[in-house]
Amino acid sequence: MTITQAEENYLKAIFKISEKSDKPALTNAISAVMQTTAASVTDMLKRLAEKDLISYEKYKGVQLTEEGNRLATALIRKHRLWEVFLTEKLGFAWDEVHELAEQLEHVQGNDLVGRLDAFLGHPKFDPHGDPIPDADGRWAYRKQSPLATLQAGDHGVVTGVEDHSSAFLQYLDQLGLGLGAGIELIERFPYDQSVRIRTSDNREMVLSEKVSQNLYIKTG
Amino acid sequence: MTITQAEENYLKAIFKISEKSDKPALTNAISAVMQTTAASVTDMLKRLAEKDLISYEKYKGVQLTEEGNRLATALIRKHRLWEVFLTEKLGFAWDEVHELAEQLEHVQGNDLVGRLDAFLGHPKFDPHGDPIPDADGRWAYRKQSPLATLQAGDHGVVTGVEDHSSAFLQYLDQLGLGLGAGIELIERFPYDQSVRIRTSDNREMVLSEKVSQNLYIKTG
DNA sequence: AAATATTTTTAGGTTTGTCTAAAAATATTT
DNA sequence: AAATATTTTTAGACAAACCTAAAAATATTT
């Protein structure tokens, strides 16, 4: 059974929606992620159900089957490994790699993924701090919390982002708050929930609530 | 104007046919390379002519326009750079890389090719000894001749292959005649044009006329 | 519960890239 | 040059992946 690139992209979209909630992924949610119409989604859901990659009940949304989940996980693994390659080996910035990885993840054959993984030294996280599942689909877990949930006096290290947009990533670069940056929360202003932090290189800055919600910190 | 992957593959096929002869590439020749029917080729030729990538006269075959040639050259550049990556960095054998590079060559965006090229150290030849055009489409030239044209007593180094099939490449591996292998032609047997050679590590062997026609040597 | 709004599906159409079968053009043989 | 063979094109279909517009189902208001 062959799986097309379009089908792979839908599987990934369904996976991402399902991560956030246990409820079935709805047509409209999928169409939003895929940037298509609801009608196109319904079309594709029928195909995916036919291939037993999702379980689909009309008007009730969909869930990945075991096989669908396996495929989606493999895709995310490929995507994130290529992102590591693009940043670590080719020198791309973390806000430039998504589009390219989106294409590279569909390349298949032989033991490409395994060899790439080995070449990169079996990385556990991608350039945005997202975990890379291993060959058996197991995810590395790392305790991290949004900066927004820390208390004054807490110390930690930037380990990930919620928002993956170029705008946000470039802003973080500008602030010197890439992955691995050390920070301490000095105070939170009740008025707008903005926070004052100190970086490990002793700079102080104020971050909006929006930034603090999209920035993950490993404390301790 | 967008160019699809299928269109790109046809351009490459036409380029390869045009390399061998100055005459226009014929429908049947293209269908043979592309493994499709003549009808499908005619269909595609119309599309490519519409986009000014080829000049097409009914029943007379096609030729690449300047733009078509530029695109085909860029594709071959990408293909061969990825082949270098796959062998040099990921450790694939020279007979395993074609299919993968066939997919990777269609990935586009940003300065991927340029960065890949730099990462690989601006290689001039791919793992099969084929030249890699530079960013401006210029080809490295290297004087080489089929082993079949050498004279007894001639010395040289294996620099390329005419036949790119797995079967041939693996046979060469088995004989220890990869790129860079040094050889001397001892004698040619008039009966079947087979040749006896000595390798630089002092092994003697007899190669069929077929092998000698498909193996390129740089003499001197 | 009826009316209204929203979501999802169906129906029918388009483009890309393929196919087979038949027709037209070109090339080769006698 | 006529007959035959080969090559190429046209005509008509098909699947994948999308679309719009209308219908059906579900959810929310009143």
Side-chain angles (χ1 to χ4, degrees), chain A residues 96-142:
Chain A
E96 299 177 310
V97 296
H98 182 77
E99 294 300 305
L100 285 168
E102 205 72 11
Q103 298 174 61
L104 287 162
E105 74 190 5
H106 297 294
V107 174
Q108 50 196 317
N110 297 319
D111 186 33
L112 180 58
V113 195
R115 282 176 185 267
L116 182 63
D117 184 42
F119 176 60
L120 299 172
H122 307 286
K124 297 276 164 292
F125 298 92
D126 79 9
H128 312 103
D130 297 319
I132 301 174
D134 70 15
D136 299 317
R138 279 185 290 260
W139 300 80
Y141 176 73
R142 181 174 49 185

Side-chain angles (χ1 to χ4, degrees), chain A residues 63-82:
Chain A
Q63 275 175 310
L64 293 176
T65 60
E66 211 167 308
E67 174 69 357
N69 195 77
R70 209 183 54 68
L71 282 170
T73 304
L75 266 174
I76 290 167
R77 172 169 159 78
K78 287 203 257 176
H79 182 103
R80 294 183 179 171
L81 284 174
W82 279 117

Side-chain angles (χ1 to χ4, degrees), chain A residues 4 6 10 37 39-40 43 47 59:
Chain A
T4 67
Y10 274 94
T37 62
S40 302
D43 239 44
R47 269 196 288 271
Y59 294 102

Side-chain angles (χ1 to χ4, degrees), chain A residues 133-151:
Chain A
D134 70 15
D136 299 317
R138 279 185 290 260
W139 300 80
Y141 176 73
R142 181 174 49 185
K143 207 178 158 216
Q144 57 179 13
S145 341
L147 175 55
T149 65
L150 300 205
Q151 308 294 321

Side-chain angles (χ1 to χ4, degrees), chain B residues 53-194:
Chain B
L53 299 172
I54 59 173
S55 56
Y56 171 42
E57 209 184 331
K58 258 194 192 177
Y59 294 103
K60 303 292 180 187
V62 298
Q63 275 175 311
L64 293 176
T65 61
E66 212 168 306
E67 174 68 357
N69 194 78
R70 208 184 54 69
L71 282 170
T73 304
L75 265 174
I76 290 168
R77 171 169 160 79
K78 287 204 256 176
H79 182 104
R80 293 182 180 170
L81 285 173
W82 279 117
E83 285 194 341
V84 172
F85 169 73
L86 292 168
T87 53
E88 300 278 303
K89 302 297 183 179
L90 298 195
F92 281 103
W94 64 344
D95 64 301
E96 300 177 310
V97 295
H98 183 75
E99 294 300 306
L100 285 168
E102 206 71 14
Q103 299 173 62
L104 288 163
E105 73 189 7
H106 297 295
V107 174
Q108 50 197 316
N110 296 320
D111 186 34
L112 180 58
V113 195
R115 282 176 186 265
L116 181 63
D117 185 41
F119 176 60
L120 298 172
H122 307 286
K124 296 277 164 293
F125 298 92
D126 79 8
H128 312 101
D130 297 318
I132 300 174
D134 71 15
D136 299 317
R138 280 186 291 261
W139 300 81
Y141 175 73
R142 181 173 50 187
K143 209 179 155 212
Q144 58 179 12
S145 341
L147 175 55
T149 66
L150 300 206
Q151 308 294 320
D154 286 351
H155 289 255
V157 172
V158 174
T159 50
V161 292
E162 176 65 30
D163 179 0
H164 286 62
S165 71
S166 254
F168 184 53
L169 300 178
Q170 283 176 19
Y171 181 44
L172 290 180
D173 278 342
Q174 213 175 308
L175 298 173
L177 292 180
L179 291 197
I183 67 165
E184 175 191 355
L185 200 163
I186 302 170
E187 58 178 330
R188 174 172 290 106
F189 301 107
Y191 174 63
D192 63 356
Q193 303 297 314
S194 63

